[in-house]
Amino acid sequence: AQSVTQLDSQVPVFEEAPVELRCNYSSSVSVYLFWYVQYPNQGLQLLLKYLSGSTLVKGINGFEAEFNKSQTSFHLRKPSVHISDTAEYFCAVSERAAGNKLTFGGGTRVLVKP
Amino acid sequence: KAGVTQTPRYLIKTRGQQVTLSCSPISGHRSVSWYQQTPGQGLQFLFEYFSETQRNKGNFPGRFSGRQFSNSRSEMNVSTLELGDSALYLCASSLVAGVQYNEQFFGPGTRLTVL
């Protein structure tokens, strides 16, 4: 079974400052890795995914993440945040051979301050 | 193309009642997954349906059940509701289900409150 740990439950950050959201996972098999964003009263939107290949993955809205196999991490970064980035962010994994089942981390709430 | 639709968006029930939630996937998508989101337990996988067959199941009691119809629409049912079943129930659809990656698209969710 796999598990996902998001090390920060809340991250306050000033507008135009950089932000990093940390995610570590454990799994005995190969996995796909994802970051989703959830705005208030909405469902989840895929920000980016790592399937294979280059360990630096670029996503929507200026976000990027780096897969580190040795540290089993998949941290999300954005060099300059906007007020509109205020949301909850979820890291997730799925086993490559287990269809569409996603295992999520506990979420990180990002509050961008002016 | 229309997104994933979930109905109703909000629901209030009392303990002991049962409830049915509906999910219409994106046109052409044949896989539907359900997730429960609560402040305490976070996002947890309930089950996945593909071509009217349950393909995968999470660790939930038998009070939680689901089904998928020939048009890929899915319903989930919770019987004998408990206070702890209050949650946002999210549905996600994808083209197919298999060992290859298939992007999942989430609906806005149904907010269930059990009193």
Side-chain angles (χ1 to χ4, degrees):
Chain A
Q2 62 266 52
S3 65
V4 180
T5 302
Q6 291 183 241
L7 298 161
D8 306 294
S9 59
Q10 291 189 72
V11 173
V13 58
F14 286 104
E15 195 173 15
E16 297 183 9
V19 70
E20 178 180 80
L21 308 185
R22 297 178 293 168
C23 172
N24 287 90
Y25 70 94
S26 69
S27 178
S28 56
V29 299
S30 294
V31 295
Y32 298 130
L33 295 154
F34 309 88
W35 275 99
Y36 285 87
V37 61
Q38 185 176 36
Y39 299 102
N41 299 316
Q42 293 187 29
L44 301 173
Q45 181 183 9
L46 181 65
L47 274 178
L48 47 78
K49 59 185 180 288
Y50 173 78
L51 305 181
S52 65
S54 174
T55 58
L56 184 61
V57 179
K58 293 192 184 296
I60 62 171
N61 301 341
F63 284 94
E64 64 180 32
E66 186 153 20
F67 170 56
N68 187 317
K69 188 174 182 179
S70 63
Q71 297 186 8
T72 60
S73 68
F74 190 54
H75 300 334
L76 180 72
R77 302 183 186 95
K78 185 169 182 178
S80 176
V81 296
H82 303 290
I83 296 289
S84 59
D85 293 322
T86 294
E88 189 153 21
Y89 294 80
F90 293 93
C91 181
V93 303
S94 69
E95 289 184 10
R96 287 173 182 258
N100 293 328
K101 176 184 175 182
L102 291 166
T103 299
F104 287 91
T108 298
R109 196 173 297 274
V110 173
L111 175 61
V112 181
K113 303 177 183 179
Chain B
K1 198 183 263 191
V4 178
T5 305
Q6 292 189 245
T7 55
R9 289 292 312 277
Y10 301 91
L11 206 47
I12 299 175
K13 293 285 188 179
T14 56
R15 278 181 298 174
Q17 287 187 310
Q18 76 160 11
V19 67
T20 299
L21 312 181
S22 179
C23 172
S24 293
I26 291 171
S27 178
H29 285 196
R30 293 164 56 200
S31 171
V32 173
S33 298
W34 288 89
Y35 293 84
Q36 182 196 63
Q37 185 177 20
T38 61
Q41 300 299 315
L43 277 155
Q44 293 184 287
F45 173 79
L46 279 155
F47 27 65
E48 178 190 6
Y49 285 87
F50 176 66
S51 292
E52 302 178 64
T53 301
Q54 188 179 85
R55 200 170 174 277
N56 212 338
K57 190 177 188 307
N59 295 324
F60 279 82
R63 300 186 298 107
F64 292 81
S65 63
R67 59 178 176 170
Q68 186 179 35
F69 301 94
S70 58
N71 62 357
S72 296
R73 189 177 69 86
S74 177
E75 289 181 346
M76 68 161 281
N77 184 277
V78 187
S79 62
T80 319
L81 283 166
E82 301 177 359
L83 295 178
D85 298 332
S86 293
L88 181 68
Y89 290 88
L90 293 166
C91 162
S93 79
S94 65
L95 272 171
V96 292
V99 296
Q100 289 179 294
Y101 168 70
N102 292 278
E103 182 167 351
Q104 294 187 73
F105 297 84
F106 282 81
T110 293
R111 169 92 46 201
L112 172 65
T113 302
V114 182
L115 303 176

